[in-house]
Amino acid sequence: MVLGTLVEAIAQILSMVINIYIWIVIIAALISWVRPDPYNPIVQILYRLTEPLYVKIRRVIPTIIGGLDITPIIVIIALQFINLFFVRLLFTLAASL
């Protein structure tokens, strides 16, 4: 009972973190279209939160197609997969405990 509640809480927090990061990726992608001021603290935070993951993906997969960088789309799809598969798997595990 206690272990199941713990696993469910972990799954809920993981889901929340994934959803927040998805919104960070979306906002960073939208801001990148308008040539933001690189010295703006919000732009710097968004860059620091997204660029390390983008670099890792760009090393593995060619992400520029027709001049359009699809890295944010790949990140969002991967995070949605994690959210739909692994988090729900944790919820199922919590229900069985």
Side-chain angles (χ1 to χ4, degrees):
M1 180 88 156
V2 174
L3 186 60
T5 305
L6 176 67
V7 172
E8 186 175 342
I10 291 170
Q12 186 69 33
I13 291 170
L14 181 61
S15 178
M16 198 177 349
V17 168
I18 288 170
N19 285 325
I20 290 169
Y21 195 75
I22 286 172
W23 280 107
I24 289 171
V25 169
I26 291 169
I27 292 167
L30 291 175
I31 286 178
S32 72
W33 292 347
V34 294
R35 292 189 187 210
D37 176 20
Y39 299 106
N40 185 321
I42 295 173
V43 173
Q44 289 179 354
I45 289 171
L46 291 172
Y47 181 81
R48 287 183 185 144
L49 289 172
T50 57
E51 201 58 35
L53 183 58
Y54 290 175
V55 169
K56 290 178 184 177
I57 292 173
R58 288 178 185 135
R59 279 190 214 143
V60 177
I61 304 170
T63 59
I64 297 179
I65 298 174
L68 181 66
D69 185 13
I70 61 165
T71 308
I73 296 170
I74 294 170
V75 169
I76 291 171
I77 290 170
L79 288 172
Q80 283 291 5
F81 175 78
I82 292 169
N83 201 17
L84 292 173
F85 183 74
F86 292 112
V87 173
R88 290 193 185 189
L89 191 64
L90 284 175
F91 279 123
T92 304
L93 176 65
S96 69
L97 292 176

